[in-house]
Amino acid sequence: MIGTVIEAADIGLALRDNSDQVHAIACALVTDLAAATADRAVRDRLAGRAAVHHNGFVKLVVVDTDEWGPGPLRGFRLVLHVWDPAVAPHSVEEIHNHRWRFASVLLCGALKWEHFHEYDGEDEPIPCLEYEYRSPGRDGGYRLRPRGPVTLARQFVALAGVGARSMMTVSQIHRVEPVADTLSATLFLQFPVERSSTRVFVEAWRPASTTTRQLRQPGPEELAECLRRLSTSLT
């Protein structure tokens, strides 16, 4: 676990319990992480826990499932997502659900949340191709496995501002994107895994590639600068 002044467990419990205090203490955690990157060893450790996701954000595992020790958060993960154009160029996120529930808070910027459901004859149909995604774990790449055509419909669209909190089930189909090409970030608590795979939906007019997708690891200095920009955006 990356050591910080603010106990990560306090933030994890605040996210789990949907506390009104979670934004303030989550921002303090990120500020501590950014300050800690002055140490070269910390920069290296953080970079080893980060990846640039093809959906257009930097993912940093702050606390992994086995690092909490005994207690109520065993099996959970605390993860930071940063939409930073300087590191991860914007891309249209693929519609998906997750293998786990999660609770998140928007630290800075603004995000567009879209929720979908399988088409039931109402609303506008969205023809898609469905794929199966399995976590790459410690591997450096992953593949999407085709499952066939499916039709979705948009349930709602919402704009989330600073401090917005959300709770998501494993079955909720959604997509999240930054509102503008500016820095946005969320900190979220990933609950224990409930199933082995995720459903990914790509609009039929832009089918996804089934070749192996490589995950790029940001360099230590690159990630440190990203965290410093994020910390500045919180003030």
Side-chain angles (χ1 to χ4, degrees), residues 84-102:
D84 182 352
V87 181
H90 174 71
S91 64
V92 177
E93 182 169 279
E94 290 163 346
I95 301 166
H96 61 283
N97 61 10
H98 288 290
R99 299 177 301 125
W100 24 260
R101 290 181 291 148
F102 72 86

Side-chain angles (χ1 to χ4, degrees), residues 37-208:
T37 61
D39 185 312
R40 179 176 178 178
V42 172
R43 291 197 299 273
D44 291 344
R45 290 175 61 201
L46 286 171
R49 304 169 72 99
V52 179
H53 199 283
H54 77 275
N55 275 337
F57 56 81
V58 179
K59 174 181 177 179
L60 173 63
V61 178
V62 181
V63 185
D64 215 337
T65 55
D66 59 349
E67 295 175 335
W68 298 100
L73 293 176
R74 188 73 175 179
F76 289 69
R77 255 185 170 190
L78 189 64
V79 182
L80 180 67
H81 281 182
V82 187
W83 287 264
D84 182 352
V87 181
H90 174 71
S91 64
V92 177
E93 182 169 279
E94 290 163 346
I95 301 166
H96 61 283
N97 61 10
H98 288 290
R99 299 177 301 125
W100 24 260
R101 290 181 291 148
F102 72 86
S104 70
V105 60
L106 182 57
L107 304 180
C108 65
L111 295 176
K112 180 175 75 172
W113 284 83
E114 295 179 274
H115 284 208
F116 302 83
H117 59 82
E118 294 196 49
Y119 183 65
D120 56 6
E122 299 183 9
D123 302 314
E124 182 179 351
I126 304 172
C128 294
L129 297 176
E130 181 178 348
Y131 298 83
E132 179 186 273
Y133 164 84
R134 291 179 182 268
S135 173
R138 303 295 181 183
D139 295 336
Y142 66 93
R143 295 180 64 185
L144 295 179
R145 301 183 183 278
R147 296 185 63 176
V150 66
T151 302
L152 300 180
R154 188 173 282 99
Q155 198 168 6
F156 71 84
V157 179
L159 298 181
V162 174
R165 305 192 302 272
S166 63
M167 306 283 286
M168 192 75 66
T169 68
V170 294
S171 60
Q172 180 60 64
I173 302 168
H174 63 283
R175 174 165 60 195
V176 182
E177 293 183 273
V179 172
D181 198 24
T182 57
L183 194 148
S184 300
T186 61
L187 186 71
F188 72 92
L189 183 70
Q190 174 185 313
F191 285 57
V193 171
E194 297 183 27
R195 59 189 181 197
S196 61
S197 64
T198 295
R199 301 177 74 188
V200 175
F201 306 88
V202 182
E203 291 94 328
W205 57 267
R206 59 179 193 99

Side-chain angles (χ1 to χ4, degrees), residues 218-230:
E221 293 296 338
E222 184 182 26
L223 181 63
E225 287 299 321
C226 174
L227 289 173
R228 289 168 195 150
R229 283 191 294 271
L230 173 56

